[in-house]
Amino acid sequence: MDANQLPSSKDKGVFFNWYFFGFFAAGIVGSTAVVYVEDNVGWGWGFGLCSAASALGLAVFLSGSRFYLRVQAKGSSFTDLARVVVVSIRKRKVPLSVRSEDYYCGRDGNTKMATATPTNSFSIGDGITDLLLRCRFLNRAALRTEGDIRPDGSISKPWKLCTLQQVEDLKTIIRIFPLWSTSILLATPIGIQMSLIVLQALTMDRHLGPHFQIPVGSILIFESISVCIALFLFDRLIWPFWRKLRRRSPTPLQLIGVGHVLNVAGMAVSAIVETKRRNVARTAATHHLLRGGGVAPISAFWLVPQLSFVGVAAAFHFPGQVALYYHEFPSSLKSMATAMIGLITGIAFYLSIAVIGCVRRVTGWLPDNINDGKVDYVFWMLVAVGVVKKKHPVTALPLFILELEFYIPMTTP
């Protein structure tokens, strides 16, 4: 089930906001209630709660099945994309034609290509002509040759001819890939920050009152709390006011850009807080005031501002990215929009581990005792990566010049 269940783009935007609200709210419960049960009652009870929650979620999902819109399966879209590549290679020596009638548009002969025609200032002629000017070598996949089509207009051999729509679907994926890949640079600093914040929290006072100490693994809930609060305010206050003021909703690219800016700001705040934490720890060590485990007399709540920045940034860029992918992906691949975020997160977290390992090997910034290290240098490095790559004056930051060079909206959001 995805945003196909909703009729209007406004409703889909609300769906994406509340999807991520539920996602991060569940993370809050998992990082607090479940962790507390595991630490104080037992791991078996903790896993039991997770199993019960999964069963409840499945029951709720199935209870609404009669209300869902069902889309008829039409085979694998990835097979169609692979066919375009294979057929293009097979026909690499066939000269391209400038006549639209030489290209196969489907059995019904529809040449309007309504869903694949670029618009606005990027259009230079009719849809077919504009289509053929992009990634021209792929157009050979839809170029008719002798024996490709049966008398009834169908394709005789699927791996020797594709429709123009299938070619355009692959071009859409290619066009949006640079923007998707640069989003990994946005998520990688988040993964690095999450790893280092746990180390910072271990050396800070995590007491909440005289008898309760926040588990170190739960310190990250402040990011999830910030996401939930921001999404709620966006949906109920900020975006309705914005639409009244500007007569339109913010575009997905604007949301992603603001998320980039706030993410870099969060890294800068992380560096500043780490400088203070390290100075306090070293001063305490000089006066023999460090507690067991090298805990410095500084509250772990100093970590909340940087987590809040990153949380609000996530409230901007995650819904923005899903909305963008959902809007631009071919209709057969729209259900992948939310999965792209998970793919970005997975790659970014693996990359963050590699970056941390590289920094440990090359520099002395991350020793076993971070009180003797320079963790703030790592955060400033992440800030520098973001700021140096700033190219776009409004929507901001990493490799946006590359994104905007290759990404051309198919339609106006």
Side-chain angles (χ1 to χ4, degrees):
M1 187 180 74
D2 55 30
N4 272 332
Q5 305 292 321
L6 304 170
S8 69
S9 58
K10 178 183 176 181
D11 291 337
K12 291 174 182 177
V14 174
F15 170 83
F16 293 136
N17 275 354
W18 286 103
Y19 169 84
F20 283 104
F21 180 91
F23 179 83
F24 283 98
I28 294 173
V29 176
S31 299
T32 53
V34 176
V35 170
Y36 180 83
V37 170
E38 289 177 342
D39 287 346
N40 295 276
V41 181
W43 282 79
W45 282 95
F47 286 120
L49 285 176
C50 294
S51 299
S54 298
L56 178 61
L58 178 61
V60 172
F61 175 77
L62 294 177
S63 66
S65 59
R66 59 177 176 168
F67 301 107
Y68 301 152
L69 298 176
R70 291 174 172 80
V71 180
Q72 185 177 2
K74 297 181 180 179
S76 173
S77 301
F78 297 102
T79 302
D80 291 340
L81 300 179
R83 282 175 54 201
V84 174
V85 176
V86 172
V87 177
S88 298
I89 295 174
R90 283 184 171 180
K91 295 184 176 181
R92 62 188 179 277
K93 296 182 179 180
V94 178
L96 289 170
S97 173
V98 295
R99 300 191 310 165
S100 60
E101 57 267 23
D102 290 336
Y103 295 87
Y104 184 67
C105 297
R107 187 170 181 176
D108 58 357
N110 178 23
T111 58
K112 293 182 179 180
M113 294 294 294
T115 61
T117 303
T119 59
N120 303 330
S121 60
F122 301 105
S123 296
I124 60 172
D126 65 89
I128 297 292
T129 303
D130 191 22
L131 171 64
L132 299 181
L133 288 176
R134 295 182 182 174
C135 300
R136 296 180 71 245
F137 68 96
L138 293 176
N139 297 331
R140 290 183 172 86
L143 186 62
R144 303 182 189 210
T145 57
E146 185 177 355
D148 286 343
I149 303 175
R150 295 192 182 103
D152 63 354
S154 62
I155 298 176
S156 59
K157 295 182 179 180
W159 291 89
K160 288 191 175 182
L161 183 66
C162 301
T163 66
L164 272 176
Q165 183 63 62
Q166 291 170 335
V167 173
E168 179 63 8
D169 287 350
L170 179 57
K171 291 180 181 180
T172 299
I173 301 299
I174 294 173
R175 185 168 61 248
I176 207 170
F177 179 78
L179 190 146
W180 172 83
S181 61
T182 54
S183 296
I184 297 174
L185 296 179
L186 172 66
T188 300
I190 297 176
I192 295 174
Q193 184 198 52
M194 291 176 66
S195 298
L196 297 181
I197 277 182
V198 172
L199 298 178
Q200 291 174 297
L202 284 171
T203 64
M204 302 174 77
D205 183 5
R206 291 176 279 115
H207 281 89
L208 188 63
H211 304 295
F212 179 75
Q213 180 173 260
I214 301 174
V216 66
S218 298
I219 200 70
L220 297 172
I221 66 167
F222 292 104
E223 178 182 340
S224 299
I225 292 173
S226 299
V227 175
C228 293
I229 293 175
L231 288 173
F232 179 82
L233 293 177
F234 290 165
D235 185 67
R236 297 299 177 183
L237 181 63
I238 297 177
W239 296 150
F241 177 76
W242 178 276
R243 284 189 287 267
K244 289 182 180 179
L245 184 65
R246 301 296 301 274
R247 305 295 181 184
R248 59 184 176 86
S249 299
T251 66
L253 278 178
Q254 289 173 334
L255 297 178
I256 296 173
V258 173
H260 276 266
V261 173
L262 291 178
N263 192 64
V264 173
M267 297 303 113
V269 174
S270 298
I272 295 171
V273 170
E274 168 57 20
T275 300
K276 179 175 178 60
R277 187 208 63 80
R278 188 183 67 235
N279 291 339
V280 171
R282 289 181 175 178
T283 301
T286 302
H287 295 86
H288 306 287
L289 297 177
L290 287 180
R291 305 172 190 172
V295 177
I298 179 173
S299 174
F301 286 97
W302 276 90
L303 301 174
V304 172
Q306 63 206 56
L307 290 170
S308 299
F309 266 97
V310 174
V312 176
F316 275 100
H317 64 73
F318 277 153
Q321 287 185 65
V322 175
L324 179 68
Y325 302 147
Y326 192 88
H327 181 265
E328 296 298 334
F329 270 21
S331 58
S332 58
L333 295 174
K334 287 188 182 297
S335 60
M336 287 181 55
T338 51
M340 298 301 289
I341 300 299
L343 186 58
I344 288 173
T345 303
I347 295 175
F349 273 65
Y350 280 114
L351 187 58
S352 69
I353 295 173
V355 171
I356 290 175
C358 182
V359 170
R360 282 179 61 87
R361 287 193 299 269
V362 175
T363 72
W365 298 349
L366 295 174
D368 293 335
N369 184 357
I370 64 170
N371 291 336
D372 298 328
K374 296 182 179 180
V375 178
D376 53 332
Y377 284 17
V378 179
F379 290 123
W380 285 124
M381 177 187 70
L382 299 176
V383 173
V385 170
V387 173
V388 167
K389 291 180 178 178
K390 181 177 180 181
K391 297 292 184 181
H392 195 275
V394 178
T395 57
L397 298 174
L399 297 181
F400 253 70
I401 189 67
L402 179 63
E403 297 171 6
L404 296 179
E405 180 180 351
F406 285 90
Y407 169 71
I408 302 173
M410 290 170 57
T411 55
T412 302

